[in-house]
Amino acid sequence: MDSLGGSHGHYKERNGYKVQIYLFRHGETDWNKARRLQGQSDIPLNAYGRELAHKTAEALQSVPFDKAFSSPLSRAKETAQIILGKRNIPLTTDERLLEINFGDCEGQCFDTAKQNPNHPLHHFFCAPQSYLPPEGGETFHGAINRGNAFLQEQILPLEGCCETILIVAHGAFNRCILNAISNTPLEDFWKTALPNCAASILSLHHGKFTIETESKVYYGTPVNGRP
């Protein structure tokens, strides 16, 4: 997988700042609960998803976010708005933070695809290195490339002027970013659980992204960590 990072544990020193990036997955939706593939379908948070976001917001109320970004899909945008609370900073949406597009297969059940070797999404779950997207879908490398473009164009220029950044996106897309930073091969794409409303905390140092913490939740028992 294409690498975006460096070694773990680096912190930003320029101008006295330490940059931390809280990369969140959105809260739970009804399709998460039903184990249906959402992709770029605009499925809203359910009541429990909002509860998770509010608990997360309470735990992070002292974090001084300087900038905030989210996917334009409502489940990510609302999660970001809840976490930001009354902070007086704008939320910028960016289409490059959208979930992977699954084309004609959006809305289908994870378990059906995993159990049927002939299903067009079987390799997505069971052999990511061999995955070819269905009609209208997107490759892993397509999502990795737009994630990299977002980081290079939106986040890197903030080094030197921001201390803490919030990003809220999606489960598979966030794994694309994390696995690229850690240089994890596609066959191990699903090795890390990434529950709803989980934060992966990144640092930025001299233009390199590193992972400090993966899959941190602020609400108790993690939900929907893997498909």
Side-chain angles (χ1 to χ4, degrees):
M1 185 168 289
D2 305 325
S3 176
L4 301 177
S7 60
H8 288 258
H10 291 298
Y11 296 95
K12 186 176 180 225
E13 300 168 351
R14 194 179 305 169
N15 296 336
Y17 286 104
K18 167 190 169 183
V19 170
Q20 284 194 316
I21 301 156
Y22 285 71
L23 176 65
F24 271 94
R25 184 186 176 198
H26 59 78
E28 187 186 70
T29 71
D30 285 345
W31 279 23
N32 289 144
K33 192 172 182 180
R35 295 178 59 77
R36 295 177 64 186
L37 204 64
Q38 295 179 113
Q40 296 184 5
S41 300
D42 198 4
I43 310 303
L45 296 178
N46 60 22
Y48 188 55
R50 295 185 180 96
E51 179 182 336
L52 299 184
H54 280 291
K55 288 181 177 179
T56 300
E58 183 177 355
L60 297 178
Q61 58 185 333
S62 64
V63 176
F65 292 118
D66 301 301
K67 294 281 187 180
F69 301 87
S70 83
S71 157
L73 295 176
S74 61
R75 58 189 183 270
K77 186 176 179 180
E78 185 177 4
T79 300
Q81 290 169 331
I82 292 171
I83 292 173
L84 285 175
K86 296 181 179 180
R87 292 176 180 85
N88 188 25
I89 62 172
L91 176 63
T92 301
T93 59
D94 194 305
E95 291 193 353
R96 290 171 295 187
L97 296 176
L98 286 165
E99 180 59 294
I100 294 178
N101 188 337
F102 300 106
D104 294 344
C105 287
E106 294 197 357
Q108 298 194 21
C109 293
F110 300 159
D111 296 323
T112 301
K114 291 169 71 175
Q115 293 164 10
N116 180 2
N118 295 317
H119 194 285
L121 292 176
H122 180 76
H123 285 336
F124 178 78
F125 296 110
C126 300
Q129 70 277 13
S130 301
Y131 173 64
L132 296 174
E135 183 69 27
E138 180 180 23
T139 65
F140 282 111
H141 290 293
I144 292 166
N145 288 340
R146 60 182 168 85
N148 183 40
F150 168 81
L151 293 177
Q152 298 293 323
E153 295 172 21
Q154 288 278 31
I155 305 302
L156 277 181
L158 299 178
E159 187 174 7
C161 60
C162 286
E163 184 175 356
T164 314
I165 299 166
L166 174 68
I167 302 172
V168 182
H170 304 272
F173 176 79
N174 285 6
R175 284 183 176 90
C176 286
I177 288 180
L178 294 170
N179 290 346
I181 290 172
S182 61
N183 204 24
T184 299
L186 272 177
E187 53 262 37
D188 295 327
F189 185 83
W190 300 106
K191 71 170 187 173
T192 301
L194 195 62
N196 288 120
C197 252
S200 297
I201 303 173
L202 315 179
S203 61
L204 174 60
H205 179 73
H206 295 315
K208 290 188 176 181
F209 296 92
T210 62
I211 301 170
E212 295 181 7
T213 303
E214 286 187 350
S215 303
K216 181 177 177 62
V217 297
Y218 299 87
Y219 57 80
T221 303
V223 296
N224 305 311
R226 286 190 178 90

